[in-house]
Amino acid sequence: MRRTSAVPAVLLAAALTGCAGAADEGKPAGAAQPTAQRTQAAPAEPEQPRTAAEFLARAEEAMAGQKGWTFAVNGREGLVLSGQDSSATYSATVRRSTGEAWALHSVGATVSKGVSKSEEIYVADGTAYVKKGAAGWEHGPVTDPEFADKVEDPIAALDAFREYGAEVTLAEPDGRVELRARAASGPLTGVRDKAVVQKALRELAPTLRQLRAAGVTTPESAIAVGGVEELLVLNPSTYRVTAHTFKCTFLIPYDGQRIRYEQDVTERTSGTYDEVVAVPEGLG
């Protein structure tokens, strides 16, 4: 998620800037009685997925079966210190093509302290192009953390869950399928090796660098995890991703207190997208 720009004090102001059967051939020719009518066995029903990995494979197949998808994204990111809460909200519409040469186009806005700043993003051929407000376009490799942090790609969550492996749990409440990876609260040193925590740390990294530049020199070993959870919700019939949610909280000691960092992002599938996602001339 993109960085916020509002914070509760001078210190924090400097810190946040930013899913055929075989036929019966009948009786032999020349038999005394009439030849039996050939029958065609009904196609075998595909076996129902049972494990998290099987559901994930079905989801990947279902999402790849369309040319593209449209998603609605809503998120919040904030810092809390001494009871002062500084946060920003983000909303966007994301259009994302599938296939090996996938591309993405996002149009949205960040709202902080009542001020809205537009944001537009293109991703194609491994490069991200970002434009915030009236500023010019910036571009760089989508693998660069500074750019990857700004790109909300719901389909990339499928790749992440595959990497989580045994960390993913499966539940089927109220007629839906939920794939979940989580880490409970506790010292960061105790859960740092969990893949979902590593993802959360990548989200925290830009803010943590800015906090340190502002004088918060807390070592990573002293940081605590308030909780990390990533959730994929699938349609139980089509196995398409209907929603993806990522939440994380970190507690950072500072001057006898704790700075609380929070992030909560939800991406919901709005429908298919059949047009071409292309970077405008002059950017590519």
Side-chain angles (χ1 to χ4, degrees):
M1 181 170 172
R2 64 282 318 128
R3 303 296 112 201
T4 62
S5 58
V7 286
V10 173
L11 168 66
L12 300 187
L16 284 183
T17 60
C19 158
D24 180 356
E25 296 298 336
K27 296 183 180 296
Q33 64 264 44
T35 302
Q37 183 179 2
R38 295 184 180 183
T39 59
Q40 180 72 38
E45 290 291 331
E47 187 175 347
Q48 295 296 311
R50 299 176 184 275
T51 66
E54 289 171 349
F55 273 108
L56 181 59
R58 291 291 183 89
E60 292 174 326
E61 182 180 2
M63 299 306 284
Q66 297 293 328
K67 183 177 179 179
W69 297 92
T70 300
F71 303 92
V73 179
N74 289 279
R76 176 188 175 277
E77 184 180 48
L79 288 176
V80 179
L81 175 63
S82 300
Q84 299 182 67
D85 183 355
S86 177
S87 64
T89 59
Y90 177 76
S91 61
T93 297
V94 176
R95 297 176 177 87
R96 207 274 203 190
S97 65
T98 59
E100 186 174 350
W102 64 272
L104 177 148
H105 181 213
S106 173
V107 178
T110 299
V111 178
S112 177
K113 290 186 175 181
V115 178
S116 178
K117 178 180 288 189
S118 63
E119 181 174 285
E120 186 171 10
I121 299 172
Y122 284 94
V123 178
D125 297 326
T127 300
Y129 305 85
V130 179
K131 177 178 172 61
K132 291 185 176 184
W137 288 91
E138 298 179 346
H139 69 277
V142 72
T143 53
D144 183 328
E146 291 298 329
F147 286 94
D149 180 61
K150 299 176 176 64
V151 178
E152 302 296 344
D153 180 5
I155 293 182
L158 296 171
D159 295 328
F161 270 72
R162 189 190 309 110
E163 294 175 1
Y164 294 163
E167 291 183 18
V168 179
T169 60
L170 168 66
E172 300 180 63
D174 303 325
R176 65 181 184 273
V177 176
E178 296 183 347
L179 303 177
R180 190 187 312 269
R182 69 193 332 169
S185 60
L188 174 58
T189 52
V191 293
R192 198 191 191 291
D193 290 339
K194 292 178 70 70
V196 70
V197 175
Q198 292 175 14
K199 176 175 178 176
L201 284 171
R202 289 193 294 271
E203 294 291 323
L204 171 67
T207 296
L208 190 58
R209 287 196 297 270
Q210 293 159 11
L211 282 172
R212 286 172 173 164
V216 180
T217 57
T218 306
E220 187 176 283
S221 59
I223 296 176
V225 175
V228 179
E229 180 177 272
E230 187 166 6
L231 175 69
L232 271 176
V233 181
L234 311 181
N235 182 297
S237 300
T238 65
Y239 309 112
R240 293 176 176 178
V241 176
T242 62
H244 169 240
T245 300
F246 181 81
K247 302 177 182 180
C248 66
T249 302
F250 289 96
L251 305 173
I252 306 166
Y254 171 69
D255 195 24
Q257 304 177 71
R258 293 194 302 184
I259 300 171
R260 182 182 181 92
Y261 169 85
E262 303 171 322
Q263 184 183 135
D264 187 339
V265 182
T266 297
E267 303 152 345
R268 299 189 183 280
T269 307
S270 302
T272 58
Y273 184 71
D274 297 325
E275 299 180 29
V276 175
V277 179
V279 176
E281 292 185 16
L283 292 185

mmCIF file of all heavy atoms in Angstrom, residues 32-78:
data_model
loop_
_atom_site.group_PDB
_atom_site.id
_atom_site.type_symbol
_atom_site.label_atom_id
_atom_site.label_comp_id
_atom_site.label_asym_id
_atom_site.label_seq_id
_atom_site.Cartn_x
_atom_site.Cartn_y
_atom_site.Cartn_z
ATOM 1 N N ALA A 32 -26.706 -62.904 -33.535
ATOM 2 C CA ALA A 32 -28.052 -63.317 -33.897
ATOM 3 C C ALA A 32 -29.083 -62.270 -33.534
ATOM 4 O O ALA A 32 -30.026 -62.013 -34.271
ATOM 5 C CB ALA A 32 -28.389 -64.649 -33.229
ATOM 6 N N GLN A 33 -28.901 -61.639 -32.367
ATOM 7 C CA GLN A 33 -29.883 -60.645 -31.973
ATOM 8 C C GLN A 33 -29.444 -59.272 -32.463
ATOM 9 O O GLN A 33 -28.303 -59.072 -32.838
ATOM 10 C CB GLN A 33 -30.053 -60.639 -30.434
ATOM 11 C CG GLN A 33 -28.821 -60.225 -29.673
ATOM 12 C CD GLN A 33 -28.037 -61.437 -29.227
ATOM 13 O OE1 GLN A 33 -27.857 -62.371 -30.013
ATOM 14 N NE2 GLN A 33 -27.583 -61.435 -27.993
ATOM 15 N N PRO A 34 -30.351 -58.271 -32.455
ATOM 16 C CA PRO A 34 -30.017 -56.927 -32.924
ATOM 17 C C PRO A 34 -28.829 -56.373 -32.148
ATOM 18 O O PRO A 34 -28.635 -56.650 -30.965
ATOM 19 C CB PRO A 34 -31.282 -56.112 -32.648
ATOM 20 C CG PRO A 34 -32.368 -57.134 -32.608
ATOM 21 C CD PRO A 34 -31.747 -58.375 -32.024
ATOM 22 N N THR A 35 -28.011 -55.592 -32.872
ATOM 23 C CA THR A 35 -26.853 -54.972 -32.235
ATOM 24 C C THR A 35 -27.308 -54.000 -31.156
ATOM 25 O O THR A 35 -28.195 -53.189 -31.382
ATOM 26 C CB THR A 35 -26.014 -54.217 -33.279
ATOM 27 O OG1 THR A 35 -25.621 -55.134 -34.291
ATOM 28 C CG2 THR A 35 -24.791 -53.591 -32.637
ATOM 29 N N ALA A 36 -26.709 -54.084 -30.013
ATOM 30 C CA ALA A 36 -27.102 -53.188 -28.929
ATOM 31 C C ALA A 36 -26.752 -51.749 -29.264
ATOM 32 O O ALA A 36 -25.755 -51.480 -29.925
ATOM 33 C CB ALA A 36 -26.383 -53.607 -27.635
ATOM 34 N N GLN A 37 -27.592 -50.848 -28.846
ATOM 35 C CA GLN A 37 -27.346 -49.425 -29.105
ATOM 36 C C GLN A 37 -26.129 -48.956 -28.325
ATOM 37 O O GLN A 37 -25.957 -49.282 -27.167
ATOM 38 C CB GLN A 37 -28.574 -48.605 -28.681
ATOM 39 C CG GLN A 37 -28.426 -47.126 -28.982
ATOM 40 C CD GLN A 37 -29.671 -46.353 -28.583
ATOM 41 O OE1 GLN A 37 -30.610 -46.932 -28.045
ATOM 42 N NE2 GLN A 37 -29.671 -45.077 -28.858
ATOM 43 N N ARG A 38 -25.274 -48.247 -29.021
ATOM 44 C CA ARG A 38 -24.087 -47.726 -28.355
ATOM 45 C C ARG A 38 -24.486 -46.670 -27.328
ATOM 46 O O ARG A 38 -25.365 -45.852 -27.574
ATOM 47 C CB ARG A 38 -23.125 -47.117 -29.370
ATOM 48 C CG ARG A 38 -22.543 -48.139 -30.338
ATOM 49 C CD ARG A 38 -21.535 -47.500 -31.249
ATOM 50 N NE ARG A 38 -20.972 -48.477 -32.165
ATOM 51 C CZ ARG A 38 -20.017 -48.199 -33.040
ATOM 52 N NH1 ARG A 38 -19.519 -46.968 -33.099
ATOM 53 N NH2 ARG A 38 -19.540 -49.131 -33.844
ATOM 54 N N THR A 39 -23.804 -46.706 -26.239
ATOM 55 C CA THR A 39 -24.063 -45.702 -25.202
ATOM 56 C C THR A 39 -22.787 -44.938 -24.898
ATOM 57 O O THR A 39 -21.685 -45.435 -25.066
ATOM 58 C CB THR A 39 -24.561 -46.363 -23.904
ATOM 59 O OG1 THR A 39 -23.573 -47.277 -23.455
ATOM 60 C CG2 THR A 39 -25.883 -47.079 -24.143
ATOM 61 N N GLN A 40 -22.942 -43.709 -24.462
ATOM 62 C CA GLN A 40 -21.805 -42.845 -24.131
ATOM 63 C C GLN A 40 -21.860 -42.547 -22.637
ATOM 64 O O GLN A 40 -22.855 -42.009 -22.155
ATOM 65 C CB GLN A 40 -21.858 -41.545 -24.925
ATOM 66 C CG GLN A 40 -20.716 -40.576 -24.638
ATOM 67 C CD GLN A 40 -19.411 -41.071 -25.219
ATOM 68 O OE1 GLN A 40 -19.395 -41.628 -26.308
ATOM 69 N NE2 GLN A 40 -18.331 -40.891 -24.489
ATOM 70 N N ALA A 41 -20.812 -42.937 -21.927
ATOM 71 C CA ALA A 41 -20.793 -42.663 -20.496
ATOM 72 C C ALA A 41 -20.725 -41.161 -20.253
ATOM 73 O O ALA A 41 -20.082 -40.428 -20.995
ATOM 74 C CB ALA A 41 -19.589 -43.349 -19.851
ATOM 75 N N ALA A 42 -21.424 -40.722 -19.230
ATOM 76 C CA ALA A 42 -21.392 -39.299 -18.886
ATOM 77 C C ALA A 42 -19.988 -38.910 -18.445
ATOM 78 O O ALA A 42 -19.294 -39.707 -17.801
ATOM 79 C CB ALA A 42 -22.380 -39.018 -17.763
ATOM 80 N N PRO A 43 -19.541 -37.715 -18.822
ATOM 81 C CA PRO A 43 -18.208 -37.275 -18.396
ATOM 82 C C PRO A 43 -18.077 -37.326 -16.882
ATOM 83 O O PRO A 43 -19.010 -36.975 -16.160
ATOM 84 C CB PRO A 43 -18.129 -35.834 -18.916
ATOM 85 C CG PRO A 43 -19.138 -35.770 -20.014
ATOM 86 C CD PRO A 43 -20.242 -36.698 -19.618
ATOM 87 N N ALA A 44 -16.950 -37.775 -16.421
ATOM 88 C CA ALA A 44 -16.735 -37.856 -14.980
ATOM 89 C C ALA A 44 -16.688 -36.456 -14.376
ATOM 90 O O ALA A 44 -16.094 -35.538 -14.942
ATOM 91 C CB ALA A 44 -15.421 -38.584 -14.690
ATOM 92 N N GLU A 45 -17.355 -36.291 -13.242
ATOM 93 C CA GLU A 45 -17.328 -35.009 -12.548
ATOM 94 C C GLU A 45 -15.926 -34.772 -11.995
ATOM 95 O O GLU A 45 -15.314 -35.698 -11.449
ATOM 96 C CB GLU A 45 -18.335 -35.010 -11.402
ATOM 97 C CG GLU A 45 -19.782 -34.988 -11.840
ATOM 98 C CD GLU A 45 -20.166 -33.666 -12.476
ATOM 99 O OE1 GLU A 45 -19.558 -32.635 -12.108
ATOM 100 O OE2 GLU A 45 -21.038 -33.661 -13.358
ATOM 101 N N PRO A 46 -15.395 -33.561 -12.159
ATOM 102 C CA PRO A 46 -14.070 -33.298 -11.592
ATOM 103 C C PRO A 46 -14.092 -33.481 -10.082
ATOM 104 O O PRO A 46 -15.064 -33.126 -9.421
ATOM 105 C CB PRO A 46 -13.799 -31.834 -11.983
ATOM 106 C CG PRO A 46 -15.150 -31.257 -12.252
ATOM 107 C CD PRO A 46 -15.981 -32.370 -12.799
ATOM 108 N N GLU A 47 -13.051 -34.050 -9.575
ATOM 109 C CA GLU A 47 -12.979 -34.292 -8.139
ATOM 110 C C GLU A 47 -12.967 -32.972 -7.385
ATOM 111 O O GLU A 47 -12.295 -32.017 -7.768
ATOM 112 C CB GLU A 47 -11.717 -35.089 -7.825
ATOM 113 C CG GLU A 47 -11.626 -35.538 -6.381
ATOM 114 C CD GLU A 47 -10.437 -36.426 -6.117
ATOM 115 O OE1 GLU A 47 -9.832 -36.896 -7.120
ATOM 116 O OE2 GLU A 47 -10.101 -36.645 -4.933
ATOM 117 N N GLN A 48 -13.733 -32.916 -6.331
ATOM 118 C CA GLN A 48 -13.819 -31.699 -5.544
ATOM 119 C C GLN A 48 -12.507 -31.457 -4.793
ATOM 120 O O GLN A 48 -11.922 -32.397 -4.242
ATOM 121 C CB GLN A 48 -14.965 -31.786 -4.534
ATOM 122 C CG GLN A 48 -16.334 -31.858 -5.160
ATOM 123 C CD GLN A 48 -16.661 -30.601 -5.940
ATOM 124 O OE1 GLN A 48 -16.495 -29.477 -5.439
ATOM 125 N NE2 GLN A 48 -17.100 -30.757 -7.174
ATOM 126 N N PRO A 49 -12.018 -30.226 -4.790
ATOM 127 C CA PRO A 49 -10.804 -29.938 -4.019
ATOM 128 C C PRO A 49 -11.053 -30.140 -2.537
ATOM 129 O O PRO A 49 -12.155 -29.887 -2.042
ATOM 130 C CB PRO A 49 -10.531 -28.466 -4.344
ATOM 131 C CG PRO A 49 -11.846 -27.912 -4.791
ATOM 132 C CD PRO A 49 -12.553 -29.036 -5.472
ATOM 133 N N ARG A 50 -10.042 -30.605 -1.853
ATOM 134 C CA ARG A 50 -10.170 -30.878 -0.427
ATOM 135 C C ARG A 50 -9.155 -30.114 0.423
ATOM 136 O O ARG A 50 -9.420 -29.791 1.567
ATOM 137 C CB ARG A 50 -10.010 -32.384 -0.154
ATOM 138 C CG ARG A 50 -11.051 -33.251 -0.844
ATOM 139 C CD ARG A 50 -10.764 -34.730 -0.602
ATOM 140 N NE ARG A 50 -11.692 -35.584 -1.329
ATOM 141 C CZ ARG A 50 -12.895 -35.929 -0.880
ATOM 142 N NH1 ARG A 50 -13.286 -35.495 0.296
ATOM 143 N NH2 ARG A 50 -13.680 -36.709 -1.593
ATOM 144 N N THR A 51 -7.998 -29.828 -0.142
ATOM 145 C CA THR A 51 -6.948 -29.175 0.626
ATOM 146 C C THR A 51 -6.790 -27.721 0.190
ATOM 147 O O THR A 51 -7.289 -27.317 -0.868
ATOM 148 C CB THR A 51 -5.608 -29.897 0.437
ATOM 149 O OG1 THR A 51 -5.189 -29.736 -0.934
ATOM 150 C CG2 THR A 51 -5.739 -31.380 0.754
ATOM 151 N N ALA A 52 -6.085 -26.960 0.993
ATOM 152 C CA ALA A 52 -5.822 -25.571 0.644
ATOM 153 C C ALA A 52 -5.080 -25.473 -0.680
ATOM 154 O O ALA A 52 -5.390 -24.612 -1.521
ATOM 155 C CB ALA A 52 -5.027 -24.893 1.758
ATOM 156 N N ALA A 53 -4.100 -26.352 -0.898
ATOM 157 C CA ALA A 53 -3.328 -26.331 -2.146
ATOM 158 C C ALA A 53 -4.217 -26.633 -3.346
ATOM 159 O O ALA A 53 -4.062 -26.021 -4.414
ATOM 160 C CB ALA A 53 -2.185 -27.331 -2.057
ATOM 161 N N GLU A 54 -5.167 -27.555 -3.197
ATOM 162 C CA GLU A 54 -6.066 -27.896 -4.304
ATOM 163 C C GLU A 54 -7.013 -26.739 -4.610
ATOM 164 O O GLU A 54 -7.282 -26.431 -5.775
ATOM 165 C CB GLU A 54 -6.842 -29.170 -3.966
ATOM 166 C CG GLU A 54 -5.970 -30.418 -3.973
ATOM 167 C CD GLU A 54 -6.688 -31.642 -3.440
ATOM 168 O OE1 GLU A 54 -7.797 -31.488 -2.869
ATOM 169 O OE2 GLU A 54 -6.156 -32.758 -3.586
ATOM 170 N N PHE A 55 -7.523 -26.082 -3.587
ATOM 171 C CA PHE A 55 -8.384 -24.921 -3.806
ATOM 172 C C PHE A 55 -7.595 -23.794 -4.472
ATOM 173 O O PHE A 55 -8.104 -23.110 -5.362
ATOM 174 C CB PHE A 55 -8.980 -24.431 -2.484
ATOM 175 C CG PHE A 55 -10.256 -25.120 -2.091
ATOM 176 C CD1 PHE A 55 -10.286 -26.021 -1.050
ATOM 177 C CD2 PHE A 55 -11.434 -24.861 -2.779
ATOM 178 C CE1 PHE A 55 -11.464 -26.655 -0.685
ATOM 179 C CE2 PHE A 55 -12.627 -25.484 -2.416
ATOM 180 C CZ PHE A 55 -12.648 -26.391 -1.366
ATOM 181 N N LEU A 56 -6.367 -23.614 -4.064
ATOM 182 C CA LEU A 56 -5.541 -22.568 -4.654
ATOM 183 C C LEU A 56 -5.296 -22.842 -6.135
ATOM 184 O O LEU A 56 -5.368 -21.925 -6.965
ATOM 185 C CB LEU A 56 -4.219 -22.473 -3.903
ATOM 186 C CG LEU A 56 -3.231 -21.407 -4.376
ATOM 187 C CD1 LEU A 56 -3.844 -20.026 -4.296
ATOM 188 C CD2 LEU A 56 -1.949 -21.470 -3.554
ATOM 189 N N ALA A 57 -5.023 -24.096 -6.486
ATOM 190 C CA ALA A 57 -4.808 -24.462 -7.887
ATOM 191 C C ALA A 57 -6.065 -24.184 -8.715
ATOM 192 O O ALA A 57 -5.978 -23.677 -9.843
ATOM 193 C CB ALA A 57 -4.406 -25.931 -7.989
ATOM 194 N N ARG A 58 -7.241 -24.485 -8.158
ATOM 195 C CA ARG A 58 -8.490 -24.213 -8.869
ATOM 196 C C ARG A 58 -8.696 -22.701 -9.043
ATOM 197 O O ARG A 58 -9.188 -22.241 -10.072
ATOM 198 C CB ARG A 58 -9.672 -24.808 -8.103
ATOM 199 C CG ARG A 58 -9.706 -26.326 -8.106
ATOM 200 C CD ARG A 58 -10.024 -26.916 -9.471
ATOM 201 N NE ARG A 58 -10.110 -28.359 -9.413
ATOM 202 C CZ ARG A 58 -11.222 -29.035 -9.149
ATOM 203 N NH1 ARG A 58 -12.353 -28.386 -8.918
ATOM 204 N NH2 ARG A 58 -11.211 -30.351 -9.105
ATOM 205 N N ALA A 59 -8.331 -21.949 -8.024
ATOM 206 C CA ALA A 59 -8.475 -20.488 -8.114
ATOM 207 C C ALA A 59 -7.573 -19.909 -9.187
ATOM 208 O O ALA A 59 -7.978 -19.029 -9.954
ATOM 209 C CB ALA A 59 -8.169 -19.858 -6.754
ATOM 210 N N GLU A 60 -6.345 -20.384 -9.245
ATOM 211 C CA GLU A 60 -5.410 -19.914 -10.268
ATOM 212 C C GLU A 60 -5.952 -20.215 -11.663
ATOM 213 O O GLU A 60 -5.896 -19.377 -12.574
ATOM 214 C CB GLU A 60 -4.044 -20.561 -10.064
ATOM 215 C CG GLU A 60 -3.339 -20.090 -8.794
ATOM 216 C CD GLU A 60 -2.051 -20.838 -8.534
ATOM 217 O OE1 GLU A 60 -1.989 -22.040 -8.868
ATOM 218 O OE2 GLU A 60 -1.112 -20.230 -8.002
ATOM 219 N N GLU A 61 -6.505 -21.414 -11.844
ATOM 220 C CA GLU A 61 -7.072 -21.809 -13.137
ATOM 221 C C GLU A 61 -8.291 -20.948 -13.494
ATOM 222 O O GLU A 61 -8.445 -20.502 -14.630
ATOM 223 C CB GLU A 61 -7.469 -23.286 -13.088
ATOM 224 C CG GLU A 61 -8.033 -23.815 -14.400
ATOM 225 C CD GLU A 61 -8.412 -25.278 -14.317
ATOM 226 O OE1 GLU A 61 -8.279 -25.885 -13.226
ATOM 227 O OE2 GLU A 61 -8.865 -25.823 -15.348
ATOM 228 N N ALA A 62 -9.137 -20.697 -12.499
ATOM 229 C CA ALA A 62 -10.343 -19.906 -12.745
ATOM 230 C C ALA A 62 -10.012 -18.464 -13.116
ATOM 231 O O ALA A 62 -10.604 -17.895 -14.044
ATOM 232 C CB ALA A 62 -11.235 -19.934 -11.500
ATOM 233 N N MET A 63 -9.069 -17.863 -12.419
ATOM 234 C CA MET A 63 -8.731 -16.467 -12.701
ATOM 235 C C MET A 63 -8.007 -16.329 -14.033
ATOM 236 O O MET A 63 -8.145 -15.330 -14.738
ATOM 237 C CB MET A 63 -7.889 -15.889 -11.570
ATOM 238 C CG MET A 63 -8.576 -15.870 -10.211
ATOM 239 S SD MET A 63 -10.191 -15.060 -10.184
ATOM 240 C CE MET A 63 -9.686 -13.334 -10.221
ATOM 241 N N ALA A 64 -7.216 -17.354 -14.408
ATOM 242 C CA ALA A 64 -6.496 -17.323 -15.681
ATOM 243 C C ALA A 64 -7.431 -17.586 -16.857
ATOM 244 O O ALA A 64 -7.058 -17.348 -18.013
ATOM 245 C CB ALA A 64 -5.372 -18.356 -15.676
ATOM 246 N N GLY A 65 -8.650 -18.049 -16.575
ATOM 247 C CA GLY A 65 -9.580 -18.389 -17.641
ATOM 248 C C GLY A 65 -10.272 -17.197 -18.276
ATOM 249 O O GLY A 65 -11.032 -17.348 -19.233
ATOM 250 N N GLN A 66 -10.014 -15.990 -17.768
ATOM 251 C CA GLN A 66 -10.583 -14.773 -18.332
ATOM 252 C C GLN A 66 -9.472 -13.857 -18.815
ATOM 253 O O GLN A 66 -8.351 -13.906 -18.313
ATOM 254 C CB GLN A 66 -11.441 -14.041 -17.291
ATOM 255 C CG GLN A 66 -12.649 -14.823 -16.816
ATOM 256 C CD GLN A 66 -13.676 -15.018 -17.902
ATOM 257 O OE1 GLN A 66 -13.844 -14.168 -18.774
ATOM 258 N NE2 GLN A 66 -14.394 -16.145 -17.854
ATOM 259 N N LYS A 67 -9.798 -13.009 -19.773
ATOM 260 C CA LYS A 67 -8.808 -12.096 -20.327
ATOM 261 C C LYS A 67 -8.313 -11.099 -19.293
ATOM 262 O O LYS A 67 -7.142 -10.693 -19.295
ATOM 263 C CB LYS A 67 -9.407 -11.357 -21.525
ATOM 264 C CG LYS A 67 -8.440 -10.420 -22.228
ATOM 265 C CD LYS A 67 -9.098 -9.796 -23.444
ATOM 266 C CE LYS A 67 -8.143 -8.829 -24.156
ATOM 267 N NZ LYS A 67 -8.799 -8.242 -25.369
ATOM 268 N N GLY A 68 -9.205 -10.696 -18.411
ATOM 269 C CA GLY A 68 -8.823 -9.737 -17.388
ATOM 270 C C GLY A 68 -9.907 -9.592 -16.343
ATOM 271 O O GLY A 68 -11.014 -10.133 -16.483
ATOM 272 N N TRP A 69 -9.601 -8.832 -15.295
ATOM 273 C CA TRP A 69 -10.518 -8.660 -14.171
ATOM 274 C C TRP A 69 -10.502 -7.208 -13.692
ATOM 275 O O TRP A 69 -9.510 -6.498 -13.857
ATOM 276 C CB TRP A 69 -10.107 -9.574 -13.011
ATOM 277 C CG TRP A 69 -10.195 -11.016 -13.345
ATOM 278 C CD1 TRP A 69 -9.204 -11.819 -13.856
ATOM 279 C CD2 TRP A 69 -11.346 -11.852 -13.232
ATOM 280 N NE1 TRP A 69 -9.666 -13.086 -14.053
ATOM 281 C CE2 TRP A 69 -10.975 -13.144 -13.681
ATOM 282 C CE3 TRP A 69 -12.658 -11.633 -12.779
ATOM 283 C CZ2 TRP A 69 -11.871 -14.209 -13.696
ATOM 284 C CZ3 TRP A 69 -13.543 -12.703 -12.794
ATOM 285 C CH2 TRP A 69 -13.163 -13.969 -13.241
ATOM 286 N N THR A 70 -11.596 -6.811 -13.067
ATOM 287 C CA THR A 70 -11.684 -5.494 -12.438
ATOM 288 C C THR A 70 -11.858 -5.693 -10.938
ATOM 289 O O THR A 70 -12.637 -6.547 -10.503
ATOM 290 C CB THR A 70 -12.872 -4.692 -12.993
ATOM 291 O OG1 THR A 70 -12.706 -4.524 -14.403
ATOM 292 C CG2 THR A 70 -12.949 -3.317 -12.338
ATOM 293 N N PHE A 71 -11.117 -4.901 -10.157
ATOM 294 C CA PHE A 71 -11.170 -5.011 -8.710
ATOM 295 C C PHE A 71 -11.425 -3.641 -8.080
ATOM 296 O O PHE A 71 -10.976 -2.616 -8.602
ATOM 297 C CB PHE A 71 -9.845 -5.551 -8.160
ATOM 298 C CG PHE A 71 -9.440 -6.879 -8.726
ATOM 299 C CD1 PHE A 71 -8.625 -6.943 -9.850
ATOM 300 C CD2 PHE A 71 -9.871 -8.055 -8.138
ATOM 301 C CE1 PHE A 71 -8.237 -8.165 -10.373
ATOM 302 C CE2 PHE A 71 -9.492 -9.284 -8.663
ATOM 303 C CZ PHE A 71 -8.680 -9.341 -9.784
ATOM 304 N N ALA A 72 -12.123 -3.652 -6.957
ATOM 305 C CA ALA A 72 -12.295 -2.442 -6.151
ATOM 306 C C ALA A 72 -11.387 -2.575 -4.936
ATOM 307 O O ALA A 72 -11.465 -3.573 -4.209
ATOM 308 C CB ALA A 72 -13.742 -2.285 -5.711
ATOM 309 N N VAL A 73 -10.531 -1.587 -4.727
ATOM 310 C CA VAL A 73 -9.542 -1.638 -3.645
ATOM 311 C C VAL A 73 -9.842 -0.537 -2.626
ATOM 312 O O VAL A 73 -10.080 0.622 -2.992
ATOM 313 C CB VAL A 73 -8.116 -1.454 -4.190
ATOM 314 C CG1 VAL A 73 -7.101 -1.487 -3.051
ATOM 315 C CG2 VAL A 73 -7.798 -2.528 -5.221
ATOM 316 N N ASN A 74 -9.812 -0.901 -1.353
ATOM 317 C CA ASN A 74 -9.947 0.074 -0.277
ATOM 318 C C ASN A 74 -8.932 -0.258 0.810
ATOM 319 O O ASN A 74 -8.753 -1.435 1.170
ATOM 320 C CB ASN A 74 -11.359 0.037 0.320
ATOM 321 C CG ASN A 74 -12.387 0.606 -0.623
ATOM 322 O OD1 ASN A 74 -12.552 1.815 -0.732
ATOM 323 N ND2 ASN A 74 -13.089 -0.277 -1.331
ATOM 324 N N GLY A 75 -8.248 0.768 1.313
ATOM 325 C CA GLY A 75 -7.237 0.510 2.324
ATOM 326 C C GLY A 75 -7.083 1.653 3.307
ATOM 327 O O GLY A 75 -7.550 2.768 3.083
ATOM 328 N N ARG A 76 -6.442 1.329 4.404
ATOM 329 C CA ARG A 76 -6.136 2.327 5.428
ATOM 330 C C ARG A 76 -4.752 2.016 5.979
ATOM 331 O O ARG A 76 -4.392 0.858 6.202
ATOM 332 C CB ARG A 76 -7.151 2.291 6.568
ATOM 333 C CG ARG A 76 -6.823 3.261 7.712
ATOM 334 C CD ARG A 76 -7.743 3.064 8.894
ATOM 335 N NE ARG A 76 -7.360 3.907 10.011
ATOM 336 C CZ ARG A 76 -6.421 3.610 10.893
ATOM 337 N NH1 ARG A 76 -5.766 2.455 10.796
ATOM 338 N NH2 ARG A 76 -6.127 4.451 11.873
ATOM 339 N N GLU A 77 -3.979 3.065 6.233
ATOM 340 C CA GLU A 77 -2.656 2.922 6.826
ATOM 341 C C GLU A 77 -2.477 4.037 7.841
ATOM 342 O O GLU A 77 -2.890 5.179 7.590
ATOM 343 C CB GLU A 77 -1.571 3.021 5.761
ATOM 344 C CG GLU A 77 -0.169 2.772 6.294
ATOM 345 C CD GLU A 77 0.859 2.889 5.176
ATOM 346 O OE1 GLU A 77 0.783 3.885 4.436
ATOM 347 O OE2 GLU A 77 1.714 2.010 5.050
ATOM 348 N N GLY A 78 -1.898 3.724 8.989
ATOM 349 C CA GLY A 78 -1.759 4.780 9.978
ATOM 350 C C GLY A 78 -0.736 4.485 11.049
ATOM 351 O O GLY A 78 -0.238 3.368 11.194
#
